[in-house]
Amino acid sequence: MEKEVSVGVRSNQSSEKMLKILEFLARQREPIRLMDISKFLGINSSTVLRFLTSLVDNGYAAQDKETSRYYLTYKICALSNQVLENVDIRRIARPYMKEISAMFGETVCLAVEKDMKVVYMEVVESPNSTIRSMQRIGNIAPMHCTGIGKLLLFNYTEEDIDRLILKEGMPKFTEYTPTTKWELMELLKTAKKEGLAYDNEECEIGARCVAVPVYDSSGRVMAGISVTGPKTRLTDELIAPRLGELKRIVGKVSREMGYQAFGE
């Protein structure tokens, strides 16, 4: 029995070393020497060579014939694309959304962009919810005045925003709705600085939301998760002490979608 456990431990350690080498190669901007990989990772060169040979034999890495340095091939990209095609962000996000809903006692939504509009993909409703006009799976909402919409606009250049305004306009829903490009750009500047966005009665009087971005493997905002409720309950006093935890939980969704923050 002890021998079996020992073999299992060795197997796990080998897998970890292979993953460390793979991740290290993925971060390099140019081919790298065997000795440099060994030195940086603290793995002896013969072990590194064994794993590199396996990666090369299976088409995931290659060796430059002139410099003998190693680099990853695009086969790893094909593998990641296959994973993305089969990943259901709703399945990944839902348990975290339930956790957020319990923490705030309010409805939590997951939405993405489609054709310059916000599309709701998943909703976890709080029993206390009274704000239900937009939060339905499949419903659409404008980008200029919703919390998640502002997050999705992080991906837009100023020229893209000009096209959005030309195509969709900036309809006014309440007295708080931003209706000019300048107002929207100022809101986006604040949202980018804080790493989250608000809807302060911009779509519906009495309704408020705070939204946090979900990033994909390239660092783009692929979706947003928002907490929505009446402004009488979703106050600054309720939100402020929970913001760190909200970002931490949504960050788990990003990591499961392949995002790796700088320094991780």
Side-chain angles (χ1 to χ4, degrees):
M1 180 63 70
E2 290 180 358
K3 185 176 181 180
E4 291 179 1
V5 172
S6 177
V7 170
V9 171
R10 286 200 299 272
S11 176
N12 289 337
Q13 290 174 346
S14 295
S15 298
E16 288 175 3
K17 288 176 182 176
M18 171 67 92
L19 290 172
K20 285 181 179 179
I21 293 169
L22 194 60
E23 290 174 351
F24 180 72
L25 287 174
R27 292 195 295 269
Q28 306 312 305
R29 294 182 177 273
E30 56 187 27
I32 187 166
R33 298 185 307 168
L34 166 65
M35 294 305 296
D36 292 332
I37 300 172
S38 173
K39 182 178 179 181
F40 186 89
L41 296 178
I43 303 173
N44 70 68
S45 57
S46 60
T47 300
V48 173
L49 179 59
R50 176 161 53 89
F51 287 125
L52 287 173
T53 300
S54 180
L55 288 171
V56 171
D57 288 346
N58 287 279
Y60 288 101
Q63 186 177 26
D64 188 291
K65 292 181 180 179
E66 295 182 357
T67 66
S68 296
R69 299 184 178 209
Y70 292 88
Y71 59 93
L72 289 184
T73 69
Y74 281 102
K75 185 175 181 179
I76 198 75
C77 297
L79 191 65
S80 67
N81 287 336
Q82 290 174 349
V83 172
L84 287 174
E85 288 174 1
N86 294 308
V87 165
D88 183 357
I89 188 174
R90 293 171 297 182
R91 176 182 57 78
I92 290 173
R94 188 167 179 81
Y96 296 116
M97 292 169 67
K98 288 181 177 179
E99 187 177 350
I100 294 168
S101 181
M103 179 170 64
F104 282 87
E106 300 293 349
T107 294
V108 176
C109 305
L110 169 73
V112 298
E113 178 194 356
K114 186 172 178 60
D115 299 328
M116 292 187 168
K117 293 183 177 66
V118 175
V119 180
Y120 290 96
M121 297 185 67
E122 189 64 82
V123 178
V124 173
E125 286 195 3
S126 161
N128 299 323
S129 178
T130 57
I131 308 295
R132 300 183 178 181
S133 56
M134 288 187 178
Q135 286 74 33
R136 284 283 184 269
I137 296 173
N139 276 13
I140 61 173
M143 297 183 70
H144 70 290
C145 59
T146 54
I148 292 178
K150 296 186 187 85
L151 299 177
L152 295 166
L153 288 177
F154 286 6
N155 298 327
Y156 277 44
T157 63
E158 188 170 348
E159 291 73 22
D160 292 332
I161 290 175
D162 288 336
R163 283 191 287 273
L164 169 70
I165 294 172
L166 183 64
K167 179 178 182 290
E168 300 293 332
M170 296 183 68
K172 182 175 183 177
F173 298 98
T174 75
E175 61 183 297
Y176 303 106
T177 305
T179 56
T180 68
K181 176 183 173 182
W182 181 86
E183 289 178 286
L184 180 59
M185 297 299 285
E186 287 298 304
L187 288 170
L188 291 179
K189 185 188 299 184
T190 301
K192 287 178 181 179
K193 182 179 179 181
E194 296 181 351
L196 52 85
Y198 291 92
D199 166 5
N200 289 311
E201 299 185 273
E202 296 164 38
C203 287
E204 181 179 346
I205 289 294
R208 194 182 192 204
C209 94
V210 56
V212 176
V214 176
Y215 296 97
D216 65 15
S217 59
S218 70
R220 286 174 59 85
V221 178
M222 65 178 299
I225 291 178
S226 67
V227 181
T228 302
K231 70 171 186 177
T232 53
R233 288 203 306 260
L234 201 56
T235 61
D236 289 341
E237 291 73 21
L238 177 73
I239 295 172
R242 293 169 174 79
L243 276 182
E245 186 67 4
L246 173 62
K247 287 183 176 181
R248 187 188 69 80
I249 294 171
V250 177
K252 290 183 178 180
V253 181
S254 293
R255 283 191 288 276
E256 289 203 38
M257 297 309 298
Y259 176 65
Q260 187 171 6
F262 179 77
E264 287 189 352

